[in-house]
Structure formats: C-alpha cells, structure tokens
Amino acid sequence: MSSSPAVAIQYRVASINLFNFIAPPNAYYDFENIYSAQQWQKKCAWLSDFLMENQPDIIGFQEVFSPEELQALLRPLGYVHFAVLDEPQVESDYVYRHPVVALASRYPIIEMANVAVDDAACEALGLAQFQFSRQPLRATIDLPLFGPCDCYVIHLKSKRSGFDKEDLAHSGSSGAADFIARQVLGRWASSLQRGNEATLLCHQMLVRRHLKGHPFILMGDFNDKLHSDLLAAFHQNLRVYRSDIEDKQLAGLSEQQLFAELNQCRLYDSYELHKATTKCNVSLASDEDESTSFTDNPIVSSRQATHYYGSEGSVLDYILVSSEFDPKQLKNLAHIEHYQTFDRHLVRPDFERDSDSTDHAPIMMTFSLR
C-alpha cells in the first residue's frame, strides 16, 4: 500500500492598517470624527469578513485606538492570543491621538514587550531623549514544528509635517512663504524621525537576534518605500571592508564563510523571496514548455500598491523576515509559498461593502516549513 504524500505545514502572516479603528462615541484627532453606529458596524464587519475569508494565523495591526474592542472582535474568530502594550493618547475627554499597534495569533504568545531604544546608541547618534512616534511591539509566538518566532509590529512616522505651530513660533515670514518654510522643515523632521526609528529598531532586533537566536518577522506600515535611503537599515546593502572587522573569529573566515555569516543577520523582503522562488519555478517549467514566460505570473511582473494618494499608488506596507525564510541560506527552515496584496477595496470599491474599511491594502505572506 502506497503512503500518501506529506502535507506541508504552512502559516499565514498578515499586516493590516485599520485606519482609525475607534469605537464610538470616542473620536479620532478631532471631536467631529466619530463613527455612527452603522459605520462602526460596517467597519467591524469588513474586518471580520476579510479574516474569515483569508484565515491568517498571525496578524499585525496598525492604527488601533480601541484595542479592547479589537480583541473582543477577534476572539470568536479563533484569535485567542492578543498582544497590545501601549495605550492611545487621550487629548481631551473622548478625543484620541497617537493610535497603537497590536498583534493577534492563533498560537500561544510566550513573551511580549515594547521595543525600547538603546540609550548608548542614541547618544552615539546625537539623539537626546529619542522616542518612537508609535511604540513598536515584539511578540514571541510558539509555532508548532517551527519553534519560537519573534514577530515585530511597527508603524513608522508618516511623511506629514513633524512640527507643531509651537515648534517654530516665529518663522520670520508670513503667507505662502511661511507655510512652505514650515512644511519644508516639518517634513524633514518627519523624515529624520522615520529614519532614526528604522535604524534604532533594527539595532535592537539584531541585539535580540544575537541573544536569543529566534527567527523573526517584521511587519507593518513603513510609511516609505523599502529601498528609501531613510530605511537603509532594513535593506542593508553594506560594503564590507576587512579592515572594519574587529572580531577575530569573524575576520578569520573565508570570503564565502564571511558572507554566509553576515547573511544570518540580514532582513529579507518576503515579497522578493516569493518572487525569486516564482521565477525559479517558472524557469524550470519553461524548460519543459517553451510557451511559459515570467510575465505569465503577475507577482513576477509587478507589485501592487498598498496605499494611494489621489491616483498615485505606492507600497508602504511590508513583511520582512530573517534568513531562516530564505532557501538560499545555510540555516533555512522555511520558504515563502505565497504573497498577496488585497487591494480590491482601493481599486474597485463597492460602497456598501467598503465605505468604512481602510485606506491601506492588507498584505499577507504564507510560509511553508521545509
């Protein structure tokens, strides 16, 4: 009797910017921004429908003003493990600012913490009293047959001006010149904040990586293109000079061994890993069928935007992973099976279904154990 083929163990990881998830009668940013009961019901229903249809196992959320209501919505859907450690800021009475990030999981969360900056690193960078605009969350999830995995959820500083009126009370000008001058300074302040957040977070992730050795997943709204210079910490196109290496054991490695070791500390875009696998599979198929081409698979030819400003789309939401998810690395444990961007509500919206959904496209990657 022939044995049936083994079924691959898969896990699905999603990131969703919920766009002002706040239960009435509370308001976001301004006292007029309150959902009606019908709008709130539609927003919750949209999220529930998405989760039931796509069944992610781990979800990172951004723009959460009402974490208790979110947890209550998720529990009946099978997400009995929930992590949120920060609190949104109440500006006055029922008006809230500074939403938080959260994480939900079908599998046990064995540790959770807000990621704090390293004071010595801040001092070396000349950053006095630095704080994240939204506190990053780390939750360690115990995945069957995979083990502990550190899952980070982030929402980096937006591109909007980082200056309040009080930060530059007297600009020396007025009218259009004053407005543009404030915007120039304020947007650069936001850029510096976002770049520092990425750099200091990556530093702490690598410290954690060295201490614990866990595979990791970083997900969220990056508010910038991944290959922006400001987010260089996340794509790490480093030039390596032997003279810069102080560790004797590392310096003694051959060129191949050195890069194999350095690659264990890199971050990898799960979309790019899936695209590489897809190209490889298509290439193998084309050896057997000359009619097959790379453009037959849409994920190879283009990447869908996750956010639109007017008619201009951009990718702001990402899921990055550690070397264990790259089949080309020596200590790989898994590979990216699928990558999806759910943009129907942005490019083909239906008012009855999507009017109170979100202004970002949720993303989801599926990885299979080797």
Side-chain angles (χ1 to χ4, degrees):
M1 183 176 64
S2 61
S3 59
S4 58
V7 177
I9 304 296
Q10 294 185 338
Y11 297 105
R12 298 178 177 182
V13 181
S15 178
I16 309 176
N17 183 316
L18 292 176
F19 187 49
N20 299 323
F21 188 87
I22 187 166
N26 293 323
Y28 55 94
Y29 302 117
D30 190 272
F31 68 92
E32 294 181 347
N33 294 331
I34 303 175
Y35 295 121
S36 67
Q38 182 182 17
Q39 287 175 316
W40 176 243
Q41 184 180 23
K42 286 181 68 176
K43 191 171 186 68
C44 293
W46 186 92
L47 177 58
S48 296
D49 290 345
F50 173 84
L51 297 178
M52 287 189 290
E53 180 178 352
N54 297 289
Q55 295 294 317
D57 298 295
I58 301 168
I59 317 162
F61 295 103
Q62 304 91 49
E63 293 206 23
V64 180
F65 284 105
S66 298
E68 292 183 3
E69 286 78 359
L70 178 60
Q71 184 176 13
L73 182 151
L74 295 172
R75 182 174 288 275
L77 301 178
Y79 302 98
V80 297
H81 308 282
F82 188 77
V84 63
L85 293 173
D86 206 4
E87 296 181 355
Q89 178 182 321
V90 182
E91 188 172 68
S92 61
D93 298 329
Y94 57 90
V95 179
Y96 282 71
R97 298 178 65 86
H98 302 298
V100 301
V101 300
L103 182 140
S105 172
R106 297 186 186 277
Y107 299 97
I109 298 173
I110 57 179
E111 182 185 352
M112 66 179 78
N114 281 329
V115 180
V117 296
D118 181 84
D119 291 337
C122 287
E123 184 177 351
L125 292 172
L127 302 174
Q129 299 180 330
F130 179 86
Q131 293 183 334
F132 289 103
S133 57
R134 292 110 170 176
Q135 194 73 36
L137 173 68
R138 185 191 72 240
T140 303
I141 301 174
D142 190 13
L143 295 174
L145 301 180
F146 189 75
C149 182
D150 288 338
C151 295
Y152 296 83
V153 186
I154 62 170
H155 189 179
L156 300 182
K157 181 69 178 73
S158 72
K159 293 183 179 181
R160 296 190 64 174
S161 174
F163 274 179
D164 292 325
K165 185 176 181 180
E166 294 75 16
D167 294 324
L168 195 63
H170 303 289
S171 69
S173 59
S174 61
D178 176 66
F179 174 78
I180 293 177
R182 291 176 184 273
Q183 287 292 307
V184 166
L185 291 174
R187 293 195 177 200
W188 181 240
S190 293
S191 296
L192 291 174
Q193 175 74 18
R194 186 166 60 259
N196 287 327
E197 288 178 347
T199 302
L200 291 167
L201 172 64
C202 183
H203 173 261
Q204 289 299 87
M205 290 175 66
L206 292 176
V207 170
R208 169 83 176 182
R209 172 77 159 172
H210 174 72
L211 293 175
K212 297 295 184 179
H214 296 163
F216 62 77
I217 299 172
L218 171 65
M219 69 192 92
D221 179 356
F222 288 42
N223 263 315
D224 210 336
K225 296 179 181 179
L226 181 61
H227 286 278
S228 160
D229 288 342
L230 293 168
L231 303 187
F234 292 151
H235 46 85
Q236 301 172 341
N237 293 324
L238 303 177
R239 290 187 177 182
V240 178
Y241 299 98
R242 287 279 183 174
S243 58
D244 291 339
I245 303 176
E246 297 180 358
D247 185 281
K248 291 184 179 179
Q249 184 175 357
L250 196 64
L253 298 177
S254 69
E255 197 77 2
Q256 183 178 3
Q257 292 171 328
L258 174 62
F259 279 95
E261 191 69 21
L262 295 178
N263 284 341
Q264 304 307 306
C265 297
R266 289 186 58 199
L267 288 78
Y268 299 84
D269 183 356
S270 58
Y271 169 87
E272 294 293 344
L273 290 178
H274 177 44
K275 187 171 73 169
T277 301
T278 304
K279 281 186 177 181
C280 181
N281 292 341
V282 171
S283 180
L284 291 173
S286 66
D287 291 340
E288 301 177 3
D289 182 1
E290 294 181 357
S291 64
T292 303
S293 69
F294 288 172
T295 56
D296 292 338
N297 192 311
I299 195 167
V300 176
S301 57
S302 63
R303 186 171 193 166
Q304 296 157 267
T306 66
H307 185 265
Y308 287 85
Y309 183 77
S311 60
E312 182 180 353
S314 56
V315 181
L316 302 180
D317 304 82
Y318 297 90
I319 301 175
L320 308 185
V321 294
S322 58
S323 61
E324 285 85 355
F325 297 85
D326 183 1
K328 294 183 295 185
Q329 304 308 319
L330 294 176
K331 299 178 182 179
N332 68 86
L333 300 174
H335 68 276
I336 309 301
E337 191 79 31
H338 298 291
Y339 188 99
Q340 297 163 277
T341 301
F342 301 91
D343 63 355
R344 181 183 62 182
H345 64 291
L346 299 178
V347 299
R348 298 186 305 277
D350 176 89
F351 181 82
E352 287 302 316
R353 181 189 61 218
D354 303 320
S355 60
D356 295 288
S357 54
T358 174
D359 62 343
H360 281 246
I363 55 175
M364 184 170 75
M365 72 89 164
T366 303
F367 69 92
S368 297
L369 304 191
R370 290 181 60 80

